[in-house]
Amino acid sequence: MTITRRHLVKVFGSSSVGLASAGCLAPEGAGSNETTTGTETPTATAGWATEIPETPPNVSCSAVSRPMAEPVDRDGALAPREYPGRPPSEPAGEAALEYVTTFELAYRQNAEMIANTDITTDGERDSYLTRFDISVQDSWVTAGPANSAVVRLQYIGSGTIHPGMEFDYSTQYVTYYVDSTRVVRARTTRHDFDGADALDPNPWADGSPVACFEE
């Protein structure tokens, strides 16, 4: 996996919140927002940080869904990629970014394996994934409600399907909501998306639960 970043924006602090869902985290006190880069040089707050709601996304853990690929018994075939386990107890900064990048790589690789595996038994034709990578071009990590993080990735990707067909992703944008008990993912399907300062893709409006964990 290749990961490159031009900059990482970290927004620390959270709003006073009350969580309505049973089994969720307890409310946290109010705090001021402070924006820094990895070198502690002040920079502009990501515009969409102000759009983050004061409560977690209203999703049901019974609806959790993510690609789960089966192993392919062929020489050179990629193995299914495992998803990371429970997120950090207080996800923020580099830890949140690393968790989300690992999760997104597993999500997309497993999805591509499912979409591109066609194995016949007569020996005439088979196809399967032999290479897959994503390269993160930009990333943002912003504090969410009550010990959570909202992480946006901008990335491209590429892969190889046996017997040698190459493919590339155009620029992708994905936003994750992450706390210690749930992971929610939203991805834009807009081809003209330019990374504007809006919470789009929005895990609250368009997100799907991709992992849940007991307290």
Side-chain angles (χ1 to χ4, degrees):
M1 175 180 64
T2 303
I3 304 174
T4 59
R5 300 195 308 278
R6 287 197 299 272
H7 67 270
L8 166 65
V9 177
K10 303 177 183 177
V11 182
F12 298 100
S14 61
S15 301
S16 178
V17 298
L19 304 187
S21 301
C24 292
L25 299 173
E28 288 293 318
S32 61
N33 283 344
E34 178 184 357
T35 305
T36 63
T37 64
T39 57
E40 303 302 319
T41 303
T43 186
T45 301
W48 49 269
T50 62
E51 301 178 30
I52 294 174
E54 294 185 344
T55 57
N58 183 20
V59 296
S60 172
C61 286
S62 64
V64 165
S65 178
R66 57 182 182 263
M68 302 294 289
E70 296 292 331
V72 177
D73 186 17
R74 292 289 191 273
D75 289 342
L78 282 185
R81 187 174 288 273
E82 293 186 4
Y83 291 92
R86 179 185 290 272
S89 59
E90 296 183 4
E94 291 285 356
L97 175 61
E98 181 180 357
Y99 182 89
V100 165
T101 303
T102 302
F103 201 105
E104 181 66 7
L105 176 59
Y107 190 103
R108 296 309 296 267
Q109 178 172 314
N110 290 332
E112 291 296 340
M113 286 185 65
I114 294 170
N116 293 294
T117 297
D118 178 16
I119 300 175
T120 62
T121 57
D122 58 11
E124 292 184 0
R125 178 180 181 274
D126 61 2
S127 64
Y128 46 87
L129 206 64
T130 59
R131 181 184 66 83
F132 183 77
D133 297 288
I134 65 173
S135 177
V136 177
Q137 300 174 305
D138 226 336
S139 56
W140 301 260
V141 180
T142 302
N147 292 332
S148 68
V150 183
V151 181
R152 173 178 286 176
L153 301 179
Q154 173 191 328
Y155 68 90
I156 57 175
S158 64
T160 305
I161 302 168
H162 179 270
M165 184 179 71
E166 304 282 340
F167 67 88
D168 295 291
Y169 283 160
S170 58
T171 301
Q172 308 282 304
Y173 288 88
V174 64
T175 309
Y176 277 76
Y177 167 89
V178 180
D179 65 29
S180 63
T181 62
R182 81 195 83 182
V183 181
V184 181
R185 177 183 183 271
R187 184 175 72 91
T188 185
T189 57
R190 289 172 48 192
H191 295 294
D192 60 345
F193 189 81
D194 60 1
D197 280 341
L199 187 56
D200 178 17
N202 184 336
W204 279 261
D206 308 306
S208 300
V210 290
C212 279
F213 304 90
E214 295 181 359
E215 288 194 58

